Amino acid sequence: MARLRKIGLDYFPLDVSFFENEKIEALSGEFGIKGEITVIKLFCEIYKNGYYLEWNDLQKMKLLKRLPGINVTLLQQILNRLLKWGIFNEEIFLQYSVITSKNIQKQFIDSTKRRKDNSINEYALINVYINDTSSSINVNINTTSSGQSVNKITQSKVKESKVNNISIYTQIF
């Protein structure tokens, strides 16, 4: 059975200076820790689904379930600030009700560069050239520190011949 095609990411990098970013500090100043946790939960939802999140009532309610103490009005106020300050792309959001950004799309491409299909088709904010050899990695030539290819299987199943073993034992006895 074929493996299911992975859509999103299992994890994403969160810089250690994330909370020192001036936009996150301003968000925290206005909304407190509720603003900080909301933006992290939004990033998690976006990367779980790929590089964008369709913002609709279903998504709002799912997110509100995971954010105790936050109501619909507060969630929308936080999202409006994130859009206003450029953490998410306001133009794409207003036109399509989709949350994404250039940085999210760059991170998604970087995190999925070993996948066969890591293209950004919908709501693209960046230009991605799949055949650009200057920045792409050829996974077929990657090697480990010992010089072995990471794609070659070094283990093999070999059946030992019983005939050879019997002839050796008969010569000894």
Side-chain angles (χ1 to χ4, degrees):
M1 188 165 128
R3 203 183 276 182
L4 294 176
R5 198 181 113 221
K6 184 119 179 97
I7 296 172
L9 303 178
D10 291 329
Y11 57 90
F12 64 95
L14 184 67
D15 293 339
V16 295
S17 61
F18 176 79
F19 295 105
E20 295 161 7
N21 177 302
E22 67 180 2
K23 294 172 184 176
I24 300 301
E25 284 184 333
L27 187 73
S28 180
E30 186 172 355
F31 300 105
I33 197 163
K34 290 179 180 181
E36 293 174 350
I37 194 66
T38 300
V39 72
I40 291 173
K41 292 274 188 172
L42 280 168
F43 279 132
C44 289
E45 282 299 310
I46 292 167
Y47 284 121
K48 184 177 10 172
N49 294 301
Y51 59 91
Y52 68 90
L53 180 67
E54 294 178 358
W55 191 244
N56 53 37
D57 288 338
L58 178 66
Q59 285 297 337
K60 284 180 201 174
M61 295 308 131
K62 279 175 44 180
L63 194 61
L64 284 173
K65 178 185 177 272
R66 297 178 186 142
L67 291 167
I70 295 180
N71 58 36
V72 177
T73 307
L74 182 59
L75 179 61
Q76 194 60 49
Q77 288 174 346
I78 293 170
L79 181 60
N80 288 340
R81 284 293 182 264
L82 295 169
L83 292 165
K84 181 181 176 183
W85 292 332
I87 292 180
F88 300 129
N89 186 285
E90 189 172 20
E91 183 180 327
I92 295 287
F93 181 78
L94 294 175
Q95 190 171 2
Y96 302 106
S97 293
V98 167
I99 302 172
T100 190
S101 72
K102 285 183 179 182
N103 288 336
I104 289 170
Q105 292 180 8
K106 287 176 187 175
Q107 183 59 56
F108 179 79
I109 289 294
D110 191 44
S111 298
T112 60
K113 60 186 162 194
R114 286 181 162 235
R115 292 185 188 172
K116 285 184 180 179
D117 180 25
N118 71 339
S119 59
I120 291 182
N121 301 322
E122 299 178 282
Y123 318 112
L125 296 169
I126 59 173
N127 293 326
V128 180
Y129 299 104
I130 303 299
N131 295 328
D132 182 14
T133 56
S134 64
S135 63
S136 65
I137 294 177
N138 184 349
V139 296
N140 295 322
I141 62 169
N142 286 347
T143 58
T144 62
S145 59
S146 64
Q148 293 179 334
S149 172
V150 294
N151 295 317
K152 283 189 178 178
I153 299 172
T154 57
Q155 213 174 31
S156 64
K157 293 183 178 180
V158 178
K159 291 184 178 180
E160 292 184 24
S161 173
K162 291 183 180 180
V163 175
N164 290 342
N165 291 338
I166 294 171
S167 64
I168 292 173
Y169 291 124
T170 55
Q171 292 175 357
I172 295 174
F173 296 108

